[in-house]
Amino acid sequence: MEPPVRLASTGTIIHGVSVGELLGVSTLAEARLIAGESGLGRIVQRLNVMEVPDILAWVKPHELLLTTGYPLRNTPQSLGRLVTDLDERGLAALAIKLGRYVDELPPEMVEQADRLGFPLILLPNDVGFDDILNQVLTDILNRQAAVLVRAEEAHRALVQVVLAGGGLDEVTTEVAALLDVSVAAVDGRGRVLAAAGPHEPALREIILREGPAGVSAPAAGGPRTSVSVPVIAGGHHHGRIVAYSPSGTIQDSDVGILERAATVAALAVTRQEAVNAVESKYRADFLRDVLTGRAGSAERVVARARAFGWDLERPVTVLVAELDPDGDERTAQDRLVTCWTAAMRRHDPRGAVAGFSHEVVAVVDAAVDGSRIAKDAASAFADTPPVTFSTGTSRPSRGPETLPEAYSQALKAARVGRQLHGPGAVAHFDQLGVYRLLSLVNDTDELHAFVRETLGPLASDDDAENADLRRTLQVLLETNLNVAETARRLHFHYNTLRYRIGKLERLLGNFTDDPHLRLNLTLALHVLRMRGI
């Protein structure tokens, strides 16, 4: 029966020496590698001595197994299978003394070791196992202690950076100096937030080309040219710390320092997020006061806006991006603010932008194309379907005093545009036509009364036949009472449409001969289409 694989804990030893380095210690100076040269980079973390034939039940990963062949002296044919079994269990290498119990290794054993890259080491007869155990274990423990001391010193230095008020720039600079590599902090979208080191341009190019996920993840093994570790805080993935060395000098011990750097970077990120949240609240409160006329004099508004990096003295337009209904506002609002802030940074760095309860308001240079900003923001926001937003643009505003009016225009444009064109609409206040005039009527009850008086029973959707007749009336008015064209659009027979026109006139009056009645009916249909504004 095949012995079970023993998945025992590796204890506190997490670092070791490669098989190639191990062959350089004094007790193994006369040892000879007879197979598995491609596996010299395997890591040795502990040693074991084979004293029983069923040793497979007692081995652990990353072990150097020492043997004289005594347990297999009566079954030398077992040596051929032994290499495969040890390799499957993750052992680093097998070191054997020949001549006393086993005269030579079977050729198939050597061939299998070469094929698997599993080192087979021939030990000198005059070296005792106790000497090998003592020297190699001492070397491993000394290396582990040195690695832990180095990691602790690096951790203290990085924490001190954050405690002194440093951010990601200072963290990457410190790590680059500690490891003599290039280091970058990358956000969740692959943008480089900070970078330092002698090969920073090459590292930026790699991240741009392959993304941080394209850089090798930390795994035990030999040196490598690049490593990426995640930055996680509060259960959220904030990006990665990426290290690069063209000479391939990044060791496993360096990965430990990078992981500590990622922890410290998470502290810097969460601290900055807290600061940004407070600043965002102040910006949003101030901009809301400006747009509602409660921020004080124009001079005070301009001066305070300048402190936020906003220029409100120039001619500007107001953009309102309002989340469309049926979306999860709790998860979408923060994303909406982020997308609009990034778009504003590209098109108008001196423009104002802030998030309100379910909308984002931007005040931009009047010379900037607001539809392009909305398009850029929508492109980034498309990563979170099916939530969408509609955008409204105001007329140009000449100063802080007229911003409340511009905000009202943009808000109406967003809402009317959604009603006319559906979710995701982009509308300018001046392009709303008659809807612009209707939206300026503050008494919506009066508008709805006008609809009821003008359309009568057709004002309600309670009756399917009335809703169908209203659709017929709308197409008739759109075609300027062209019966043939209306019949074609509605797929009616000509006589059927003539019958419907007669029925409509009995309900609404002789609109085919009364242009004033047709105007009222048209306006009533427009108001009905704007229901909810």
Side-chain angles (χ1 to χ4, degrees), residues 348-518:
D348 185 11
R350 295 187 301 157
V353 60
F356 296 166
S357 58
H358 62 287
E359 66 189 40
V360 174
V361 180
V363 182
V364 304
D365 188 340
V368 175
D369 186 354
S371 62
R372 289 187 60 190
I373 300 178
K375 183 178 179 181
D376 281 3
S379 177
F381 194 72
D383 295 341
T384 56
V387 184
T388 58
F389 64 87
S390 297
T391 306
T393 306
S394 75
R395 293 170 172 169
S397 170
R398 295 293 175 181
E401 301 91 342
T402 57
L403 283 176
E405 180 183 355
Y407 171 60
S408 178
Q409 293 170 358
L411 193 58
K412 288 174 181 176
R415 294 178 179 177
V416 173
R418 181 190 296 116
Q419 290 291 326
L420 298 181
H421 308 297
V426 178
H428 193 288
F429 185 74
D430 282 341
Q431 297 172 346
L432 298 181
V434 69
Y435 295 102
R436 185 181 77 206
L437 299 177
L438 294 173
S439 69
L440 295 176
V441 179
N442 293 324
D443 191 348
T444 56
D445 290 339
E446 187 63 32
L447 284 177
H448 295 158
F450 171 74
V451 171
R452 290 192 299 270
E453 293 168 4
T454 306
L455 294 180
L458 302 189
S460 172
D461 290 332
D462 295 339
D463 190 311
E465 183 181 359
N466 286 339
D468 193 32
L469 283 172
R470 189 174 69 235
R471 170 64 178 157
T472 302
L473 173 65
Q474 181 176 329
V475 178
L476 274 169
L477 295 174
E478 288 175 355
T479 61
N480 198 24
L481 301 183
N482 186 323
V483 178
E485 176 63 16
T486 302
R488 186 188 67 80
R489 288 193 189 182
L490 296 176
H491 306 289
F492 287 160
H493 190 275
Y494 183 86
N495 291 335
T496 301
L497 184 57
R498 296 300 309 179
Y499 167 77
R500 284 184 168 235
I501 292 174
K503 190 170 185 179
L504 284 168
E505 291 197 316
R506 287 192 296 273
L507 290 171
L508 306 173
N510 188 19
F511 65 88
T512 57
D513 294 326
D514 186 346
H516 296 292
L517 178 56
R518 289 201 298 274

Side-chain angles (χ1 to χ4, degrees), residues 315-359:
V316 295
T317 55
V318 177
L319 303 177
V320 171
E322 189 177 50
L323 287 171
D324 294 321
D326 303 325
D328 188 347
E329 294 185 7
R330 294 171 300 176
T331 58
Q333 179 63 17
D334 290 344
R335 181 69 174 154
L336 184 66
V337 174
T338 300
C339 293
W340 269 87
T341 301
M344 283 286 291
R345 191 180 298 117
R346 288 191 295 271
H347 292 276
D348 185 11
R350 295 187 301 157
V353 60
F356 296 166
S357 58
H358 62 287
E359 66 189 40

Side-chain angles (χ1 to χ4, degrees), residues 259-316:
E259 289 171 345
R260 292 180 180 238
T263 301
V264 174
L267 292 175
V269 168
T270 52
R271 184 191 62 187
Q272 188 59 47
E273 286 182 346
V275 172
N276 291 342
V278 173
E279 290 182 349
S280 295
K281 182 181 184 305
Y282 280 121
R283 284 195 295 265
D285 290 345
F286 171 63
L287 188 57
R288 185 183 290 108
D289 288 342
V290 171
L291 298 176
T292 55
R294 300 195 304 264
S297 66
E299 293 76 13
R300 183 175 182 273
V301 168
V302 169
R304 240 189 120 182
R306 195 178 294 118
F308 288 121
W310 302 341
D311 182 2
L312 301 185
E313 290 184 282
R314 57 188 175 165
V316 295

Side-chain angles (χ1 to χ4, degrees), residues 31-111:
R32 183 164 58 89
L33 181 73
I34 57 177
E37 183 177 1
S38 61
L40 289 178
R42 294 189 181 212
I43 299 300
V44 177
Q45 292 181 344
R46 59 184 55 77
L47 291 88
N48 197 355
V49 177
M50 184 176 181
E51 296 179 331
V52 292
D54 58 344
I55 189 63
L56 295 178
W58 308 101
V59 296
K60 301 175 185 177
H62 302 295
E63 277 186 347
L64 170 64
L65 184 62
L66 307 175
T67 184
T68 60
Y70 176 80
L72 303 174
R73 65 191 185 284
N74 297 322
T75 56
Q77 67 275 11
S78 301
L79 290 170
R81 176 63 187 170
L82 182 62
V83 167
T84 301
D85 291 336
L86 296 178
D87 179 69
E88 288 177 353
R89 283 156 177 78
L91 266 72
L94 174 65
I96 187 169
K97 284 187 178 184
L98 296 179
R100 187 167 185 179
Y101 301 108
V102 176
D103 293 328
E104 60 181 7
L105 299 180
E108 61 269 20
M109 180 182 185
V110 176
E111 293 173 2

